[in-house]
Amino acid sequence: MARWLKTGADVTAVANADRAVRETVEGILADVAARGDAAVRELSVKFDGWDRESYRLSPAEIQACIDQLSDRDLADIEFAQAQVKNFAQKQRETLLDLEVETLPGVVLGHKHIPVSAAGCYVPGGKYPLLASAHMSVLTAKVAGVPRVVTCAPPFGGKPAPAIVAAQALAGADEIYCLGGVQAVAAMALGTETIAPVDMLVGPGNAYVAEAKRQLFGRVGIDLFAGPTETLVIADDTVDGELCATDLLGQAEHGPDSPAILLTTSRKLAEDTIAWVEKLLEILPTAAVARRAWEGFGQVILVDSDAEMVEIADKIASEHVQVMTADPDYFLRHMTNYGALFLGERTNVSFGDKVIGTNHTLPTKLAARYTGGLWVGKFLKTCTYQKVLTNEASALVGEYCSRLCALEGFAGHGEQANIRVRRYGGREVPYAGAASPVLAAE
């Protein structure tokens, strides 16, 4: 039976906050749709204190950002991008086109076709999260997307050099220094100076995630990637310092980032709570991490690994770090998660920054029905068919004729009937149903 040694925010309070976000985003999207660039500029000034003639960075500005980084910085970015690109390419290789003859003279197939234009949002108002450029821009390019647009907010009153460098090195075609809902709206809806995209991807705060939700349908989206969530599953094979470090490492993302410990060890649970308090005294980002821990942190004590799996699947966390005697037990049995980090030698930060798996992952229970961003998200799997012989056309047409009649779709039925007449040499009454071949003979 599960016991909560620490609980998070009240459900009603969370729902009220979500409602306020939804209403704010609705207004911004409507404003950008109606007034285009003028609205984008006003919103950028209002929320980021950022105004310039064009929000698109010129080649000279991009190079100036790259030049501000040290050789070591650039080498580190290139190393991380090599890992992300390599894994994305391996994933792409698993997606094969298909063509198969399913009946004599009937050929069916599918092709994986990249979207024409993708908009990649890179968050950076609080921290310059350059890794999101690798995860979105680079993955889109591996998929073959011909036009990749990317937006990131200003940092410290100017473009963030590391983000811009990462965007450029990843292969972005257009780079804008523009943040928040106004950036997402401009990419999705288009303005006088920004052509609309077909798909939006990338993480963001609650407002960006809500904007993507509301824009879905007008454009495609990768998934709902809102405030970071982390779940640490651990037993008495690890210690409280390690668990606390991994919880706070994600809590620092924002004051609304859930950080949860799920364990079979009361001692570990209590030690972790104590270690969290110790580390918050020295963590430079404690002001944010403490709010997240106090408002959204949880510690759950259960009796068995099986019960941990059951509860973890209900939580459906974005990140699930497993530090137990048998981490692979959770790989075998868990079904709802954004990404698994198995064993104490790895951690969520490796995945966030460098190891190669994508860090744009589902939040707010979306892991129940989708995985994270990957090369396949940028591809449309589109089918085609060919009928190569008269005999095949007549055979399929006969069945189609009768099935259409069963549904009462006369027009559909005639599409089949005319081919039975022309290619099968058989009489079928107009808007009627073809008789079986044997019966006709």
Side-chain angles (χ1 to χ4, degrees):
M1 185 181 75
R3 286 86 72 199
W4 270 255
L5 304 189
K6 182 187 183 307
T7 57
D10 176 73
V11 174
T12 302
V14 173
N16 289 338
D18 287 347
R19 186 178 304 109
V21 169
R22 183 167 60 251
E23 292 170 355
T24 298
V25 170
E26 284 175 355
I28 293 174
L29 295 181
D31 194 17
V32 173
R35 299 194 299 121
D37 284 333
V40 169
R41 184 175 305 281
E42 288 178 18
L43 291 161
S44 180
V45 171
K46 176 180 178 180
F47 292 116
D48 291 326
W50 177 242
D51 189 16
R52 48 181 280 154
E53 184 176 344
S54 171
Y55 288 102
R56 182 173 179 177
L57 300 185
S58 68
E61 290 175 306
I62 293 168
Q63 188 59 51
C65 286
I66 294 172
D67 292 342
Q68 291 180 54
L69 302 186
S70 68
D71 290 343
R72 180 71 268 164
D73 291 337
L74 292 172
D76 289 345
I77 291 172
E78 289 168 351
F79 176 84
Q81 291 195 347
Q83 311 318 304
V84 174
K85 183 177 183 179
N86 179 56
F87 190 61
Q89 287 174 330
K90 295 300 183 185
Q91 289 182 303
R92 180 63 182 88
E93 290 168 9
T94 70
L95 296 170
L96 303 178
D97 288 352
L98 171 68
E99 186 170 285
V100 59
E101 189 171 21
T102 58
L103 291 168
V106 175
V107 174
L108 308 182
H110 73 223
K111 293 182 65 177
H112 299 294
I113 303 172
V115 299
S116 297
C120 302
Y121 186 75
V122 179
K126 198 181 292 98
Y127 308 107
L129 299 180
L130 61 111
S132 289
H134 323 327
M135 305 297 174
S136 57
V137 176
L138 196 60
T139 306
K141 282 301 180 184
V142 170
V145 178
R147 175 176 172 249
V148 177
V149 181
T150 180
C151 288
F155 184 75
K158 61 181 181 180
I163 288 181
V164 174
Q167 291 168 320
L169 292 172
D173 299 292
E174 301 168 27
I175 299 176
Y176 294 85
C177 187
L178 190 62
V181 176
Q182 61 271 22
V184 172
M187 289 191 288
L189 303 174
T191 70
E192 298 91 329
T193 59
I194 302 174
V197 299
D198 303 312
M199 183 175 186
L200 287 173
V201 303
N205 62 19
Y207 292 90
V208 168
E210 175 61 19
K212 287 170 63 181
R213 188 191 70 80
Q214 292 187 26
L215 288 163
F216 178 58
R218 176 70 177 262
V219 294
I221 65 170
D222 48 357
L223 45 91
F224 300 120
T228 290
E229 304 166 351
T230 196
L231 170 65
V232 173
I233 297 176
D235 61 18
D236 56 10
T237 61
V238 291
D239 59 81
E241 181 185 13
L242 192 59
C243 292
T245 298
D246 289 337
L247 290 167
L248 292 178
Q250 296 303 301
E252 74 176 0
H253 268 282
D256 51 358
S257 292
I260 303 171
L261 173 66
L262 177 59
T263 181
T264 51
S265 168
R266 177 174 286 274
K267 181 179 185 305
L268 178 66
E270 293 171 349
D271 287 350
T272 298
I273 292 172
W275 267 105
V276 165
E277 294 305 319
K278 291 179 187 178
L279 294 176
L280 283 172
E281 295 299 319
I282 58 174
L283 182 67
T285 54
V288 174
R290 183 180 292 280
R291 287 177 61 194
W293 176 247
E294 291 177 351
F296 293 87
Q298 298 182 50
V299 176
I300 307 170
L301 180 64
V302 298
D303 297 321
S304 67
D305 285 1
E307 194 174 2
M308 286 201 285
V309 167
E310 180 183 356
I311 291 175
D313 274 341
K314 290 178 180 177
I315 294 171
S317 183
E318 176 189 15
H319 305 106
V320 179
Q321 177 148 358
V322 182
M323 296 185 288
T324 63
D326 182 13
D328 283 348
Y329 174 87
F330 296 86
L331 178 60
R332 292 191 300 271
H333 291 94
M334 279 191 66
T335 57
N336 297 336
Y337 55 87
L340 284 179
F341 304 82
L342 299 169
E344 61 188 84
R345 292 182 181 86
T346 190
N347 63 85
V348 176
S349 185
F350 284 7
D352 277 350
K353 309 302 178 188
V354 68
I355 208 166
T357 54
N358 206 291
H359 80 188
T360 303
L361 299 167
T363 65
K364 291 184 176 292
L365 298 174
R368 294 172 302 155
Y369 58 83
T370 186
L373 180 61
W374 71 298
V375 68
K377 291 280 189 178
F378 295 100
L379 299 171
K380 303 174 292 181
T381 302
C382 301
T383 60
Y384 62 90
Q385 58 174 268
K386 295 184 279 187
V387 179
L388 304 179
T389 66
N390 291 347
E391 293 79 7
S393 183
L395 173 67
V396 175
E398 176 195 315
Y399 283 95
C400 184
S401 172
R402 293 194 297 272
L403 290 168
C404 290
L406 197 61
E407 294 179 342
F409 263 19
H412 282 64
E414 269 307 299
Q415 290 182 268
N417 291 343
I418 194 171
R419 286 164 175 81
V420 174
R421 298 184 194 109
R422 291 191 179 188
Y423 302 121
R426 296 168 52 196
E427 290 300 321
V428 181
Y430 188 83
S435 301
V437 172
L438 292 177
E441 294 174 350

